[in-house]
Structures are given as structure tokens and as C-alpha cells.
Amino acid sequence: MASSSSFSKPKNEIHRLAMSDFLPNKVAKLRPLIKEDKPQKHRFLPDKNRQALQEKAIQLLDSPNHDAIQHLITNLESSDDSKALYDFCKSNYPNGLSLKLSKLLLHSPGNASEIKSKCAGLLHSLLDSPRNSTSVWSISSHMIREELKTAILEILKQDNPDEVCKLMWRTASQIFGCILIEDQGEWPDMLSFFLESLDSCLLFVQDRAALFFLELPPCLGEELIQCVEEIHLKLWNKFNSSDGMRKVLALAALVNLVQHMSSDYYSKFHDMLMPMIEGVSGFLENEIEEENAQKSLKKLVELAGAEPRFFDLHLNQVFDTMLTICENDKLEEETRYLAVEMMYAFDDISIKRVGEMILGRLSSVLVRMISLIPEGSSNYLLGEKFMYRLPMVRGKDMNFLLNEIQKERDSSEWRRRYAAVTIIRIIAKGCAKAMSDNLEEVINVVLKSMLDSSVDVRLAAFKTIKAMSLDLSPYTLDQHGGVLFTALLLALEDDDTPVKQAGAASAMSSLCLSCRSYILEPRLQAIVSKLLQLIKSPSPEVHAESLNALASVAITSKDLFSTYYDSVITSLKKLLDDATSKSVQNNTVKLQLDNAVECIWTVAIAVGKDIFKKDAAEVVVLLLSVRLSLGEDNHSAKLTLLRAWDQLLQCLGSDFYPYMEDLIPDLLRSARLGSDSGTERVILTEKLRACELLLRLAGQFKGMFSPWIDQVSETLIPLVTFHDEDIRKIAVSAMPRLLLSAKLAIETKEAPGLTNSHSHKLVVQIVPSLLEALDEETDGKNCAKILRSLTKCIEIAGAFLSKEQIQLTATGIEQVLEATSESHFSKEETVTELEKEIIKEVVNYFRILIKIYKECSSTVVEKFMECIKAMMVDDATDKEKQIGLLTFNEFSLECPEVAIR
């Protein structure tokens, strides 16, 4: 007896399924709106228009012939009515439309190539990405899918135009993959037809079957294991074809196949690797086939990146072939570039296995690429990236590069000299040991480059000094630091070339930070004098880089800089004063201000409070003037000022207090910015920096901060539940500091107007806000931070809370413990370090509560113990039991007397 699955439904049943695309479902139970829900906007047609379109759609899709659908497709781009009808069918009857298009494509005459191509395009768009919810395939019933599979297979068997074949093979491949991945049954006829087509006596049929590989789904690799030998033979035959495109198609097919098969099976295709590589070389013997070589190289780049182990047996041969292509000047630049890109695609393991002679040739190729100025071209950038990577992978094996550098440096072509000094910059990090061993030769190349007739080469030399300063140790640079400083000073004298002066100043800035002060000392006066001249330069670049260099000199020379402090601070104050008198909306002036402000605070930090404090008041007045000259939307400049206040506080310490009265109002304005979630990042950054500074000031001055406690608390308390995590954390940290400031002010009588009732009012504001933050927080680390802050606040406040407030607070803490036991903060089966930290904070809270409230806390402690017991009942999860036991153990250690009771 035949199984029920062997019976097929009658045609009218298939038609009913196709036309009933959106049968109404039972009304689902309403659920709360979640984040992913986005209301969709619908354009509803008037009832008459909709009814008319519905009638036309049913007539179109139900028609036994194809004239109407063919007419619709023909006029789709030129007729609004046709477009409206098609869209209506697509939205309301996608299944029926898909079947109709497949039938039209199947039964159209062979010479109707235009209508077939359009029809194939429409059908492909409906079925494209079948695993996606927007695809008709994903909403189709089993019967509709079977109909479509049958139709697609029949279409593929026809002699259709190339465009139709490509689209339908792609569609078939995607659907085949979907069927396997989504476990939607099987399509054995498709796989059989594919293999038969590869073996067809008609070459064009073989070609079209090979297109199946181009959309090969990953899971299909395993399905093809049984056919490995057969596929190998058929692809091999294609490689031996005299037709270039067939070779490219075979190569693309093989690349896709190898990527989707396990290494146990793709090894069966190893014998085809060198024919693939030699096929590329063969294409390049004929100028008209270079495009085929490029197509092949692009696929090989893909394969080298995805499956580098496939090349292991022939790695040197592959690199040798690619380098031969790179070295052939007769080839197009794109071809040579792709050959380098393929070598770059290999992983570090492969690069390490390449022979020394091969690497030498590769280095020469990369040097040539690096000489392709202007910088920023794709060729130049790939050359730089590859050259940087080589010494990082090969390390000490890269000594041969130094010989390459010297050869290029002696060239009469400026581009090659440029490449020589640029290579030193690129390999400085990976070749630090080799460069240190040959430092004199390297430095000589750099020094010669600084005196080169080409400005580009000189600028490249300055960039190289910066890189060496970062990547070589100070002890290494000490050997030649003096001669480099002398050469840079000479470069700074070139007033006719501002770009060179800016480059030299930038290099000097980096070199200063990397050398020790005794190297700088003999030249300190000359350097400072020259930089003070250059900060007056009309060139914005020279001005900015000179200020940066001056700041670096101050940092490195430390005590030695005090000799030049007076002349430097005088110049900087004048610079700041002049800049504030100009329009700060001008970008050049903004840059000057930023650099001058940064230089001033760096100098202040370098010389220390004792030297700087005599100028501090004047500098503060100037900075406040700068602030007044800024527009409220100039957030980048305000950020620079906020950093300046932070650094001056660090420098002056308690001597900063006199300036608080003028500073706090501005900090509060910045801290109140950006209350909504759509605020720009730069505004939030300004808000964050202002909050951080308020936190530091409260911590620095403690009770002396009392005049501003009310204003600051009104600003920061609401921020404990702010949408930005960084700002939330700062606000949470500020709560105990504000409370401590108020308490100390009352105790020391620094603020006669403050009383205990004022402190109590602050506690009543802070504690509920922290409880709300605790309730809303989803991050475990942040919860631990809030618990810590809350406990500190309780400890600082003393016995201010009422019985109800104590109970409310304890309940909030218990809920955090329960959330921890329910794995809200970690999905690990065992207790994590973060969860242990939360347990400690919870227990610490109850320890402080018992310490302060003594017997008054007994009720909440008993409730807490009941909470712990509930975690260790028989039906509790293992995680709950672990959390409960750890909490009890911790509580027993911290409060042994209470725990015993």
C-alpha cells in the first residue's frame, strides 16, 4: 500500500493554496511591546481601488494562458497601472505570482529572450535569500514549494539565454541550501540533474551547471562528499579546456567547493592546485586573456584567506608564481596588485614557512609598491601593511631588509629614496632588535634623508624619527639622540618651508618624549628659544606642532626646564590673551587655543606647584576669559578647558580652592547638558568630564566643598539612573563623597548654615535614588558599584534612616542577591568572581547596618537570613544553592555573633 505522502493534491487544491497566501490566523494573545517592535506604516488603498486591483489580480493569476502576465511584465517599467497591479500581487498573492512567473518562464518560446530574462529576474527577486522572512519561499506551503522545485528544475533543463540560466541556477542553489539548512526535506532530483549536467556532452550545459557552485551553501560540502571523485574528474576536464572562461568558471567552482569541505576531503583536490596557479600564468601569456587572470586571482585571494592550509604542500611554488607576476612590468598594475593581495591573504603560519629567497624577492616588490606615491593609493597602502607585517611575523629573519634599504637610499630616483626611509618607519616595531644592532647605518639613512633635495623624502624622514621614538628603547636612542636633535634643529631653521618646519617640530616632540633628559640638556636652550619663535608662526601647522614640541620638552627636561619657565609662561600667556581677542569661531583660532591651553597645563605640571603658583591666578583668569569667548556649541574647546582645570587641580592641589567660585557654575552648566538619549557623543563627553571634575573636587576639598553641595547634588543625584553608563557610574561614585562633604562641614563647622537636618535631607534624596538605580541596572559590575556606594552612604549618614527606610533598602539589596542566584548577571553554572563580589557587597551592607542600627536591624536581618535559606531548599537550582551557601559563609565571617543566633 502506498504511503499517504505519495498522493499528490489535485491542481485546484494547489491553486487554492497559491491564492490564499494570507489566510487570517487566530488572534494571538497580546504581549507587551518590546524593543524590537517597530510600528509599520501602511498605505491603505480606498476600498474601490483595492477591490478593482483584487479582481484584476485574480483574473491575471487564474488565467489559463500567459498573455496577460506577459503583457504586465512587458509594461512594468513604463506603466504605473502595471506596476501597481504587480505590487498588489506581490503583497497579497506572492505564491500565485511565483507560480505564474515560473510557468511563463517554462512555456515561453525559445526566441522570447527579453521576456524570459525579465521574468527570471522577477522570479529570482521573489525567491532570493529563501531563509529570509522577506522571501516568498519562507512563507510558502509544502505543496507550493514542490511545485516551484519542479518548475525550476524543468527551466534549468531548457536551452535558455545565459542571463536566465545564471539567475535560475543561483536560485536553485540558494533553495537547495535552504532545504538542507532548515531541514525542509530533500531535493534529490536537483543534485542528480546537477551531476548529469556537469557530465553533459554539451559544453554550455556543463558551464551552466558549474554556476551551481557559485552559490554553494556551506552545508552542501558534506552532501557532495559521495560525489568527490566524480566532481574532481569533471572539474579537471574543464581545467584542460582551451576556453578561458571555462577555466575561470572551473577555478571559481573549485574555490567555493574547497571552502565548504572539511580538510579530510578537500585534500583530494590538492593535485588541482598547481594547474590552477599555472592556469593564471597561462592566461598572462596572452594579452587578451589578462582579464581572466584577474578574475582567477580574485578567487585565489578568497581561497588563501579562507583555507590557507590547502596551499601548504606548494607554498613556495605559489609565492614564486605570484612574485613572477608582480615583477612583470608588462602586466597591468591591477594584475600585479592582485598577486600581492593573494600573498597577503595567507595567515602568519604560511608566511613563516616561506623560504628566505622568496622573502627577499617579496621585499623588493613591496619596496616598489611603497614608492608609489601619493600615499593613500590602494597599492601604496597594501605595500605598507604587508611590509609592516613581515618583520612582525619573521622577526630576526628580516636583517636582509637593511641591505634593501641602503640600496634604495643610494638611488637617483627620489621615489626610491622615499621608500628607503619609509621602510625604516614601517618595520621599526617588528625589526627593533635588528635595527638596534645596525643602528648607525639606519640613523645615517635617516640623516641623509633629512637633507634630501626632495621635500617628500625629508618629510618621510621626520615621520620615521617619530616611529623610531615610539618603537626603540630610550637606551638605544641615547646613542644617537644628540645628532638627531641637532639635525632637527637645523630643519627648524628652514623658514621658507613651513611644512618642513611642522614635520621637524612633530618629530622633535616624539623624540623628546623618548629620550632621557641628559641627552636634551646641552641643546635645551637652543631648542626652547627656537620653539618660542615658532609658536608665533603664521602657519597653523607650525604653530600647533611647536606648542606640542614645547610641551614635550617640558615633560622630559623636568627640573631643567625651570630655568626657561619665565620666558615660556610669558609667551604662552600672551598667546592665550591674543587668541581670546580674536573670533573663536575661526577653526585656526580654535586650534591655537587648544594647543596653547594644553601647553600651559603641561608646563605647570612639569615645573610643579611651587614655581607655577605665582602665575596661577593670571592663567585661571585667562582660561575663564577663553570660556566666556566660546559659544555654547563649541564642545571640543570646552572639553580642552575641562581637561585644563583637571590638570591644574592636579598641579595646585589645595591651592586650587580660590578658583572654585568662578569654576563651579560653568561645570554645572556642562553637567546638565544632554538629558535625552539622542544626545551627540561630544556633548555626552563634555557632560561626563564635568561630572568627573565635580567628583574630584568634592573628594579633594571634602568639607570645604559645602558651599556647592546643594547645587551639585541637585545635578548629580538624578544622573544615577542616566541612560549613559559612564555618566551613571560617575554619579553613583559621587553620592558618598557629597554626603561626606556635608557631614565634615557640619562637624568642623566650616559651613555655619549646615545642620544635621540638612545632612538628613541629603540622605533621604540619595538613598532612594541609588535603590532606583539598583533596580534598573542590568550589569553585574555596575550593581556591585551601586551596592558599594549605597553601603558607604549608610555608613557615613549614621542612624538617620527610619525603620521603614531600613526595610525598603534591605529589600532592594535582597532583590539583587536573588537576581544573582537566578543567573541574571552570569549564565555560568558555577559562581563567577563577579557574583562573589556582589555577595561580598550585599553582606557588607548588612554588616554596616547591624553596626549602626544594632537591635533595630534585627527584623531586616532575620528577613535576610530567610532569603538565604530559601535559596538552599531541596527544589532550588544548583546555582541558587551555591549562592545561598556562599552568602551564609560570608555573613558568618563578617557577623559571626548574628549568624550563630
Side-chain angles (χ1 to χ4, degrees):
M1 187 180 211
S3 65
S4 60
S5 61
S6 64
F7 291 102
S8 61
K9 294 191 179 184
K11 293 291 181 181
N12 59 346
E13 176 67 3
I14 294 171
H15 171 74
R16 187 191 71 78
L17 288 168
M19 298 301 289
S20 304
D21 290 293
F22 294 104
L23 292 174
N25 297 319
K26 292 181 180 179
V27 178
K29 183 179 178 181
L30 293 177
R31 58 170 174 74
L33 188 68
I34 58 175
K35 183 178 179 182
E36 287 73 20
D37 287 329
K38 293 182 180 178
Q40 301 293 321
K41 294 182 179 178
H42 293 284
R43 278 186 64 192
F44 291 103
L45 291 166
D47 288 342
K48 289 184 178 179
N49 290 353
R50 180 178 178 81
Q51 186 176 356
L53 278 173
Q54 188 172 23
E55 289 174 358
K56 288 181 181 179
I58 293 172
Q59 184 179 359
L60 174 77
L61 300 176
D62 205 27
S63 173
N65 61 53
H66 307 296
D67 294 341
I69 188 71
Q70 186 169 331
H71 181 268
L72 179 75
I73 293 172
T74 304
N75 295 284
L76 200 54
E77 295 177 2
S78 59
S79 169
D80 292 340
D81 290 343
S82 296
K83 180 75 166 59
L85 179 56
Y86 181 83
D87 290 342
F88 185 85
C89 292
K90 182 178 176 181
S91 300
N92 295 277
Y93 305 116
N95 287 333
L97 181 60
S98 300
L99 287 175
K100 194 70 175 177
L101 289 173
S102 66
K103 294 296 187 292
L104 172 62
L105 192 53
L106 188 59
H107 297 297
S108 291
N111 58 359
S113 57
E114 184 178 353
I115 194 67
K116 280 197 164 193
S117 295
K118 288 181 178 180
C119 187
L122 293 172
L123 182 58
H124 175 72
S125 69
L126 288 172
L127 301 175
D128 194 23
S129 305
R131 297 181 64 199
N132 194 305
S133 60
T134 58
S135 173
V136 172
W137 182 267
S138 67
I139 60 171
S140 296
S141 66
H142 174 72
M143 286 301 300
I144 296 295
R145 288 175 180 172
E146 290 301 311
E147 280 287 295
L148 286 170
K149 284 158 59 176
T150 301
I152 289 169
L153 194 55
E154 290 303 316
I155 292 166
L156 291 175
K157 291 178 180 179
Q158 292 180 331
D159 182 11
N160 282 309
D162 284 344
E163 184 62 28
V164 173
C165 291
K166 288 178 183 178
L167 286 168
M168 297 319 296
W169 272 109
R170 183 178 179 187
T171 303
S173 185
Q174 288 183 346
I175 290 175
F176 197 94
C178 179
I179 290 170
L180 293 175
I181 295 168
E182 302 290 340
D183 196 20
Q184 295 174 351
E186 297 179 342
W187 196 1
D189 292 347
M190 181 65 226
L191 189 57
S192 300
F193 173 68
F194 159 66
L195 294 172
E196 289 170 10
S197 298
L198 275 181
D199 203 29
S200 171
C201 59
L202 300 173
L203 290 177
F204 75 88
V205 175
Q206 293 179 21
D207 295 343
R208 290 169 182 177
L211 294 171
F212 189 72
F213 282 110
L214 304 188
E215 291 287 333
L216 199 65
C219 61
L220 192 54
E222 299 302 316
E223 290 289 318
L224 295 177
I225 286 173
Q226 57 185 329
C227 320
V228 164
E229 299 294 339
E230 190 177 351
I231 292 173
H232 178 282
L233 178 62
K234 290 168 182 177
L235 290 179
W236 182 264
N237 291 336
K238 281 198 161 302
F239 272 125
N240 293 325
S241 170
S242 59
D243 185 279
M245 279 308 299
R246 288 200 171 93
K247 286 184 178 180
V248 173
L249 194 56
L251 186 145
L254 181 59
V255 166
N256 284 26
L257 184 61
V258 167
Q259 288 185 69
H260 297 319
M261 298 190 91
S262 68
S263 56
D264 294 335
Y265 288 95
Y266 75 43
S267 59
K268 294 182 179 293
F269 294 95
H270 273 148
D271 62 331
M272 296 180 72
L273 173 59
M274 286 317 295
M276 289 165 65
I277 301 299
E278 289 162 4
V280 175
S281 299
F283 284 141
L284 295 174
E285 292 174 3
N286 187 343
E287 186 177 339
I288 63 173
E289 288 203 290
E290 189 164 354
E291 185 179 351
N292 286 333
Q294 293 175 0
K295 290 177 181 177
S296 300
L297 284 169
K298 287 175 183 176
K299 293 303 294 184
L300 288 170
V301 169
E302 183 184 316
L303 184 59
E307 296 290 343
R309 301 287 74 78
F310 183 69
F311 296 83
D312 280 352
L313 297 177
H314 304 283
L315 203 56
N316 279 330
Q317 292 166 277
V318 171
F319 269 70
D320 178 70
T321 303
M322 294 302 112
L323 286 168
T324 300
I325 293 171
C326 296
E327 293 160 348
N328 188 345
D329 291 336
K330 295 180 180 178
L331 299 177
E332 293 178 12
E333 186 176 330
E334 173 69 10
T335 306
R336 301 200 303 273
Y337 173 84
L338 285 169
V340 176
E341 191 176 8
M342 185 198 168
M343 292 184 282
Y344 183 79
F346 282 100
D347 59 6
D348 290 350
I349 295 173
S350 299
I351 300 291
K352 283 180 180 178
R353 292 175 177 170
V354 175
E356 283 292 317
M357 291 183 64
I358 296 287
L359 275 185
R361 289 172 63 196
L362 175 57
S363 299
S364 298
V365 167
L366 297 180
V367 168
R368 182 177 177 181
M369 290 183 77
I370 291 168
S371 70
L372 293 173
I373 305 173
E375 295 185 33
S377 71
S378 58
N379 288 8
Y380 176 90
L381 292 175
L382 180 63
E384 268 211 3
K385 285 196 298 182
F386 208 165
M387 182 65 83
Y388 175 81
R389 185 179 166 206
L390 279 181
M392 299 295 287
V393 174
R394 300 292 296 229
K396 63 183 181 181
D397 294 340
M398 297 303 296
N399 286 333
F400 63 84
L401 264 179
L402 298 175
N403 296 327
E404 193 74 36
I405 289 167
Q406 192 62 54
K407 183 173 68 176
E408 296 301 306
R409 173 57 233 170
D410 295 335
S411 172
S412 59
E413 298 177 30
W414 75 267
R415 292 178 183 274
R416 292 180 64 184
R417 300 197 303 274
Y418 170 93
V421 74
T422 298
I423 292 167
I424 296 175
R425 168 175 65 81
I426 295 169
I427 67 173
K429 188 170 185 178
C431 272
K433 177 64 170 65
M435 289 179 70
S436 298
D437 294 342
N438 300 273
L439 195 58
E440 187 170 352
E441 295 173 31
V442 172
I443 293 294
N444 283 336
V445 171
V446 176
L447 291 172
K448 285 181 181 179
S449 300
M450 289 172 69
L451 300 172
D452 200 276
S453 57
S454 165
V455 174
D456 289 294
V457 177
R458 295 202 296 271
L459 292 177
F462 299 143
K463 289 182 181 179
T464 298
I465 291 175
K466 290 185 68 173
M468 292 172 66
S469 301
L470 290 170
D471 297 322
L472 301 183
S473 70
Y475 302 99
T476 302
L477 287 172
D478 281 353
Q479 303 172 41
H480 300 278
V483 69
L484 288 173
F485 274 120
T486 302
L488 288 171
L489 265 173
L490 183 63
L492 290 176
E493 296 291 343
D494 189 357
D495 296 327
D496 296 329
T497 318
V499 66
K500 181 182 171 185
Q501 284 182 312
S506 179
M508 182 171 283
S509 178
S510 297
L511 190 60
C512 283
L513 293 174
S514 303
C515 280
R516 290 178 291 180
S517 57
Y518 80 88
I519 298 294
L520 200 56
E521 185 176 5
R523 302 160 187 85
L524 192 55
Q525 182 177 357
I527 290 172
V528 172
S529 298
K530 187 60 190 176
L531 291 175
L532 287 177
Q533 290 177 26
L534 292 178
I535 64 174
K536 302 170 187 175
S537 170
S539 165
E541 292 79 12
V542 174
H543 173 91
E545 294 296 351
S546 300
L547 282 169
N548 290 338
L550 195 58
S552 298
V553 170
I555 292 169
T556 300
S557 56
K558 298 176 183 173
D559 295 341
L560 298 172
F561 195 76
S562 58
T563 307
Y564 311 98
Y565 169 76
D566 288 335
S567 59
V568 171
I569 200 69
T570 301
S571 297
L572 292 176
K573 287 188 294 187
K574 186 175 186 313
L575 194 66
L576 209 55
D577 191 31
D578 291 344
T580 53
S581 65
K582 301 173 184 176
S583 171
V584 187
Q585 303 310 312
N586 182 293
N587 287 332
T588 301
V589 177
K590 283 182 186 179
L591 183 63
Q592 289 176 348
L593 275 174
D594 284 353
N595 289 314
V597 170
E598 188 169 348
C599 190
I600 283 179
W601 86 56
T602 306
V603 168
I605 294 289
V607 299
K609 177 172 74 172
D610 293 339
I611 293 177
F612 175 69
K613 64 182 178 182
K614 65 186 176 67
D615 295 289
E618 190 178 351
V619 168
V620 168
V621 170
L622 283 169
L623 292 177
L624 289 170
S625 298
V626 170
R627 175 63 188 93
L628 289 172
S629 67
L630 296 175
E632 287 304 314
D633 60 344
N634 194 345
H635 301 290
S636 60
K638 288 195 286 180
L639 277 169
T640 302
L641 282 176
L642 286 168
R643 192 174 171 206
W645 296 127
D646 183 70
Q647 295 296 309
L648 292 180
L649 173 62
Q650 180 182 325
C651 174
L652 296 171
S654 59
D655 289 346
F656 189 82
Y657 190 77
Y659 314 118
M660 296 268 284
E661 187 174 354
D662 293 315
L663 175 60
I664 293 289
D666 188 54
L667 292 181
L668 289 171
R669 276 195 296 273
S670 291
R672 289 166 183 158
L673 290 170
S675 57
D676 61 87
S677 58
T679 306
E680 292 179 38
R681 187 71 247 174
V682 67
I683 298 175
L684 289 177
T685 304
E686 180 186 337
K687 183 184 184 78
L688 174 65
R689 298 293 171 250
C691 292
E692 286 174 338
L693 193 49
L694 288 169
L695 174 67
R696 282 201 61 195
L697 290 168
Q700 174 79 38
F701 296 109
K702 297 180 172 64
M704 296 168 65
F705 193 71
S706 59
W708 302 283
I709 286 177
D710 285 344
Q711 298 173 67
V712 174
S713 60
E714 285 174 8
T715 302
L716 294 187
I717 289 175
L719 297 182
V720 298
T721 54
F722 194 66
H723 62 83
D724 182 86
E725 182 182 0
D726 293 329
I727 292 172
R728 276 203 314 276
K729 289 194 287 191
I730 292 296
V732 166
S733 299
M735 296 301 102
R737 291 197 187 183
L738 291 174
L739 207 52
L740 182 61
S741 295
K743 181 180 180 181
L744 292 175
I746 294 166
E747 290 175 352
T748 58
K749 298 181 180 179
E750 290 176 350
L754 284 182
T755 61
N756 282 338
S757 63
H758 192 96
S759 183
H760 179 251
K761 179 184 174 184
L762 198 57
V763 173
V764 171
Q765 290 176 321
I766 287 174
V767 171
S769 296
L770 287 174
L771 285 174
E772 183 185 355
L774 199 58
D775 183 55
E776 293 182 6
E777 188 58 66
T778 57
D779 181 82
K781 285 185 179 179
N782 292 341
C783 273
K785 193 177 186 69
I786 297 170
L787 284 170
R788 198 174 306 121
S789 184
L790 184 59
T791 303
K792 286 180 182 177
C793 288
I794 299 295
E795 187 173 19
I796 293 166
F800 269 134
L801 296 180
S802 66
K803 186 176 180 180
E804 291 76 16
Q805 288 169 333
I806 293 172
Q807 289 176 340
L808 185 66
T809 308
T811 300
I813 304 291
E814 288 168 11
Q815 287 173 350
V816 174
L817 186 63
E818 288 169 359
T820 306
S821 71
E822 293 167 2
S823 300
H824 282 206
F825 305 126
S826 170
K827 299 302 180 186
E828 296 291 331
E829 293 182 3
T830 55
V831 181
T832 64
E833 290 302 315
L834 173 60
E835 289 167 328
K836 290 178 183 177
E837 184 184 350
I838 292 173
I839 291 170
K840 285 185 178 180
E841 295 300 338
V842 168
V843 170
N844 190 42
Y845 165 79
F846 281 97
R847 180 184 67 81
I848 296 297
L849 199 68
I850 293 167
K851 176 183 172 184
I852 294 172
Y853 291 91
K854 299 183 171 46
E855 293 303 321
C856 295
S857 65
S858 59
T859 304
V860 294
V861 172
E862 287 175 11
K863 188 170 176 289
F864 175 56
M865 297 306 292
E866 290 298 322
C867 176
I868 296 174
K869 288 179 184 177
M871 294 179 186
M872 295 190 286
V873 295
D874 291 341
D875 60 347
T877 64
D878 289 344
K879 184 70 169 282
E880 286 175 326
K881 290 176 181 176
Q882 290 177 60
I883 295 289
L885 185 59
L886 281 170
T887 306
F888 183 76
N889 289 343
E890 185 73 21
F891 188 72
S892 300
L893 289 171
E894 295 293 334
C895 310
E897 294 180 4
V898 179
I900 289 171
R901 280 185 292 175

